[in-house]
Amino acid sequence: MRVSRVLSLGMPAGRSITQYSRLHYRVPVHYPVILSSKTARGVGLMTTLSVNGCTIEFSPSLDLRHNVELHLQLPNQTRPLVIRCAAIRWVRDSSYGLQFLAINNWEQLNSCVIEELAHAVSDAQESRNP
C-alpha cells in the first residue's frame, strides 16, 4: 500500500502539495479533460497532476485493462496537451490514478507542473506573511 504525505508549507487546504511514496509531487488542479479508451469516451476532471501521472474524476467506469488517451487544455496554452497513452494504476469510486506512458509534448507538461508548484509555494508564503 502506498502512503501519501502532505508537504507542510502552511498552505491553505486547497493548495497543498501531496507527495506520494513515488518521486514526484502531485499538485491539485481543476482541468477539464477529454478521455477516450477502447470502451469509453467523455469529459472528466483532472484533480491532481505530476510529471509522471494524474488523478481524474470520470464517469462512467473505465475498464482497467485498457490504456486511455487524454486531451487536456492547459491554462495559457493555445494547443491542448495530448497524453497519447496512460495506464490506469488504481481506481476509487469515480477517481482514477493514471501513469503517463506517451505524451505529445513533455516540455509542455513539465512547464505546467512547475508553474502549478510555483503557485502553491507562492500561496504558502503569502499565507505565512499576511
Side-chain angles (χ1 to χ4, degrees), residues 35-111:
L35 180 141
S36 60
S37 73
K38 289 184 179 182
T39 60
R41 180 171 175 81
V43 177
L45 179 69
M46 184 176 289
T47 58
T48 67
L49 177 65
S50 79
V51 295
N52 202 33
C54 67
T55 305
I56 61 165
E57 297 287 330
F58 186 79
S59 190
S61 56
L62 296 170
D63 187 334
L64 302 179
R65 297 171 294 173
H66 299 289
N67 291 336
V68 297
E69 179 176 292
L70 304 171
H71 291 251
L72 174 65
Q73 187 62 51
L74 298 171
N76 305 319
Q77 298 290 318
T78 56
R79 301 186 65 183
L81 176 65
V82 179
I83 299 159
R84 294 187 316 256
C85 185
I88 302 169
R89 296 298 183 211
W90 57 263
V91 61
R92 191 173 309 119
D93 299 323
S94 62
S95 294
Y96 295 87
L98 305 179
Q99 178 185 9
F100 302 150
L101 303 176
I103 298 177
N104 71 330
N105 189 337
W106 287 99
E107 288 179 19
Q108 185 181 16
L109 173 65
N110 288 334
S111 293

Side-chain angles (χ1 to χ4, degrees), residues 9 19 23 26-27 31 37 53 61-62 75 87 91 96 108 112-113 118 128:
L9 295 173
Q19 181 186 28
L23 299 174
R26 287 196 178 207
V27 291
Y31 298 152
S37 73
S61 56
L62 296 170
V91 61
Y96 295 87
Q108 185 181 16
C112 179
V113 172
R128 285 187 192 170

